[in-house]
Amino acid sequence: QVQLVESGGGVVQPGRSLRLSCAASGFTFSNYGMHWVRQAPGKGLEWVAGLSYDGKNKYYLDSGKGRFTISRDNSKNTLYLQMYSLRADDTAVYYCAKSPFVGVGGTPLDYWGQGTLVTVSS
Amino acid sequence: QSVLTQPPSVTGAPGQRVTISCTGSSSNIGAGYDVHWYQHLPGTAPRLLIYDNNNRPSGVPDRFSGSKSGTSASLAITGLQVEDEADYYCQSYDSSLSREVFGGGTKLTVL
């Protein structure tokens, strides 16, 4: 069965960096696009970034452009989100999610992880 | 403000039917992009409920159905059950923003 397990969350000071990981299993990771989605406390879901199966096509939320980098290591079945210059409004549970296709534009997110909490606070 | 607009809450009694609307614009739903729906219980992984406007993944009961018309979409739940109490989100793609967009979410209460 498909499993997505996020890790790397924690408490970080404003302006610092953090790298999230998402370990995938139960499917051929290298054949599918992947996403990061977040949920701030008391708020709804917000799409953060998407990446095609081969890592070549990357898409970001405007507030993440220049601060967030999505990447993948298909040899390790792992998706990453490197976050720089973190701000208080980046505080959220971050979920990784799978696309049912090689790309990520306009696709549903058919499987999700349980999420990892990132708290940006001094 | 979310790009897709959903009612903050809906309420229904067990056995009843409820609908949740999702209103977009000419750059997303109205442009022909598909709408997908998710069920989310706090502290758990969101679950894909409806994809491509009106299709159910395997394992999703046929009590859940979706529709789309013009710049809007709807999720209908019939035969409400207590375990349906959750947050529901619509999602589509926006060509002006060049990214995925979610609705603000609707909290379903089953009284």
Side-chain angles (χ1 to χ4, degrees):
Chain A
Q1 70 282 21
V2 172
Q3 274 202 310
L4 299 169
V5 180
E6 301 92 339
S7 61
V11 180
V12 61
Q13 292 179 328
R16 302 298 291 264
S17 301
L18 200 64
R19 188 178 81 159
L20 306 181
S21 299
C22 171
S25 61
F27 65 102
T28 305
F29 179 71
S30 58
N31 286 354
Y32 297 96
M34 297 292 295
H35 299 265
W36 287 99
V37 176
R38 68 185 180 185
Q39 183 176 33
K43 304 292 185 182
L45 299 175
E46 181 178 50
W47 179 86
V48 173
L51 182 64
S52 60
Y53 75 108
D54 57 2
K56 292 183 179 179
N57 297 305
K58 305 179 183 185
Y59 308 91
Y60 297 97
L61 183 65
D62 281 351
S63 64
K65 289 178 182 175
R67 296 192 306 125
F68 292 178
T69 301
I70 187 172
S71 63
R72 65 194 297 159
D73 186 335
N74 286 343
S75 68
K76 295 182 178 179
N77 292 340
T78 302
L79 177 73
Y80 301 101
L81 184 68
Q82 177 71 55
M83 302 185 290
Y84 303 95
S85 303
L86 282 162
R87 310 186 303 220
D89 63 358
D90 293 319
T91 294
V93 174
Y94 285 73
Y95 298 96
C96 71
K98 172 186 167 292
S99 164
F101 305 108
V102 294
V104 291
T107 72
L109 283 62
D110 59 356
Y111 291 94
W112 298 60
Q114 299 273 6
T116 186
L117 176 62
V118 173
T119 303
V120 183
S121 173
S122 53
Chain B
Q1 292 285 49
S2 301
V3 174
L4 304 178
T5 301
Q6 297 180 233
S9 63
V10 296
T11 302
Q16 282 190 336
R17 177 182 187 268
V18 296
T19 61
I20 298 172
S21 62
C22 174
T23 303
S25 68
S26 59
S27 61
N28 42 68
I29 299 175
Y33 293 104
D34 290 325
V35 178
H36 319 294
W37 291 90
Y38 303 88
Q39 180 188 59
H40 188 207
L41 289 149
T44 69
R47 173 195 185 193
L48 177 63
L49 213 54
I50 297 289
Y51 67 95
D52 296 353
N53 308 313
N54 56 14
N55 296 283
R56 283 186 308 276
S58 62
V60 174
D62 60 5
R63 301 186 297 105
F64 295 90
S65 63
S67 63
K68 173 188 160 185
S69 178
T71 58
S72 295
S74 288
L75 172 71
I77 310 172
T78 58
L80 267 181
Q81 299 179 2
V82 173
E83 54 263 38
D84 296 335
E85 201 164 273
D87 297 322
Y88 293 82
Y89 294 89
C90 60
Q91 175 230 332
S92 187
Y93 182 84
D94 192 285
S95 57
S96 295
L97 299 172
S98 298
R99 62 171 176 86
E100 314 295 334
V101 289
F102 282 96
T106 298
K107 181 175 181 58
L108 169 63
T109 301
V110 181
L111 292 176

